[in-house]
Amino acid sequence: MKKIASLWIVVFCIFSFYSVYAEQPDDAAILSAEEEEAAKMLVPPQSAIVMEKESGRILYEINPRQKLPMASTTKIMTAIVALEKGNPADNVTISAAAEGVEGSSMYIRQGEIMSLEELLYGLMLCSGNDAAVAIAEHVGGNIEQFVQMMNQKAQEIGALDTHFDNPNGLPSDSHYSTAYDMALITAYGLKNATFAKIVSTREMTISGYGKQYVRQLVNHNKLLKMYPDCIGVKTGFTKEAGRCLVSAAKRDGMTLICVTLNAPNDWDNHMSFYDECFQKFHLQAIEIPKDQNTTFSIKGGAVRESTAVLSHQTAFPLTEGETIDTKVEFQKDIQAPVMAGTVVGKLKILVNGSETGGMELIANEEIPVGNFAFENISKTLLAEIEDVYQFWLSLFGNKFVK
């Protein structure tokens, strides 16, 4: 019995030895905190893009059109719709639904009255999910109607691979976007001066109407302090989406938009991408060459032709050694009336022979509808006179022609 017991002890010791040895990691796998941070930096974003704001040219990309959850970067669209459909000076009474929403908050309370502008700062600086609900209820009448407005706006902007289920970015299977779409949405938003001001604000002190206390809102976007050229825009995080970040930076007149989705090291990613792109690309002014036709036809207009111009004076980002060509392309079947400023075509940008982007061409003047009644009568009368003349010639030939 003692021999058997001794044998089991030996077996146990040998097994324990090999078990401990097998579980012991190699020295190379034992990482310090600094080494773990360095290892994390090697993990690339699941999706990323750097886009030049004015031209829309993509300067850097990783899976830019992959549909992914975008967490609180959703609120970029929430702010856009609120600014276009609402009045920042409006007073908003906070509902129970807004107070009770989960997640990040600016801590508004039911019955409190705040301006829409204050709620927008709470939305974009401290990422208030409660602010998003309050905004949606006020501007849209209810959340469902507001979300419909968000989806409609996404289609108008050209963000065709985006779908919103809510105004704050809380997880949902059918709430998604792409890095490319988020860059388009952000470029659109930055055209609005109020939007640009809000997203570039580091801190804001606000107070509810009639309240005895104030709120100090601090922007979650650390790039505003970490990167001198940063001018916004929005952070986001959920377990499902991972770390999401949309930012913008401006240097030497060029504004770049960077989007990363599910990026463990987003701050460093953005700074690295910006440094590389600002160093690599320069702006070249864009003009329509004099030898290219800028005249377009109008159906049913008071005039048959008019001239198009570039929607705005801009430049295009190029790298060393790239050559640029342009090509005018007008829309088909342009119908009157045409208002001045209406988009009628596109100036295609070709870099080294390949189409890389384009600028909108707009009507330079208003073209009203033509006088159809008079025009049609005139054409009919002329046609009838011609018929009579031809019939007369067929009867008499050249008899009366000397």
Side-chain angles (χ1 to χ4, degrees), residues 38 48 143 162 260 375:
I143 293 175
T162 294
T260 52
E375 183 179 348

Side-chain angles (χ1 to χ4, degrees), residues 345-364:
K346 178 181 180 181
L347 182 68
K348 290 186 175 181
I349 308 297
L350 295 90
V351 176
N352 293 347
S354 299
E355 185 176 347
T356 309
M359 308 293 177
E360 291 181 338
L361 293 172
I362 59 173
N364 195 33

Side-chain angles (χ1 to χ4, degrees), residues 158-173:
L160 305 181
D161 291 321
T162 294
H163 186 268
F164 299 103
D165 276 349
N166 57 64
N168 43 41
L170 290 174
S172 172
D173 290 341

Side-chain angles (χ1 to χ4, degrees), residues 25-31 35:
D26 295 335
D27 289 343
I30 303 175
L31 303 178
E35 289 170 331

Side-chain angles (χ1 to χ4, degrees), residues 104-179:
S104 56
S105 177
M106 66 176 294
Y107 302 105
I108 51 181
R109 296 291 178 261
Q110 181 182 0
E112 187 175 3
I113 299 175
M114 305 188 75
S115 71
L116 181 60
E117 182 179 28
E118 289 175 326
L119 289 171
L120 284 168
Y121 277 99
L123 177 81
M124 300 305 285
L125 271 63
C126 59
S127 199
N129 291 341
D130 49 357
V133 171
I135 290 168
E137 290 178 334
H138 176 75
V139 176
N142 56 61
I143 293 175
E144 292 74 19
Q145 180 63 28
F146 186 83
V147 171
Q148 185 177 339
M149 295 160 69
M150 294 171 68
N151 285 317
Q152 181 179 348
K153 195 66 190 180
Q155 292 294 307
E156 293 174 6
I157 292 172
L160 305 181
D161 291 321
T162 294
H163 186 268
F164 299 103
D165 276 349
N166 57 64
N168 43 41
L170 290 174
S172 172
D173 290 341
S174 52
H175 189 96
Y176 56 82
S177 187
T178 67

Side-chain angles (χ1 to χ4, degrees), residues 321-371:
E322 287 185 330
T323 58
I324 188 170
D325 294 299
T326 60
K327 180 181 179 181
V328 172
E329 185 176 272
F330 288 111
Q331 298 173 1
K332 296 180 180 179
D333 301 326
I334 300 172
Q335 297 278 353
V338 177
M339 303 300 294
T342 300
V343 176
V344 294
K346 178 181 180 181
L347 182 68
K348 290 186 175 181
I349 308 297
L350 295 90
V351 176
N352 293 347
S354 299
E355 185 176 347
T356 309
M359 308 293 177
E360 291 181 338
L361 293 172
I362 59 173
N364 195 33
E365 60 181 350
E366 181 179 353
I367 301 103
V369 175
N371 190 333

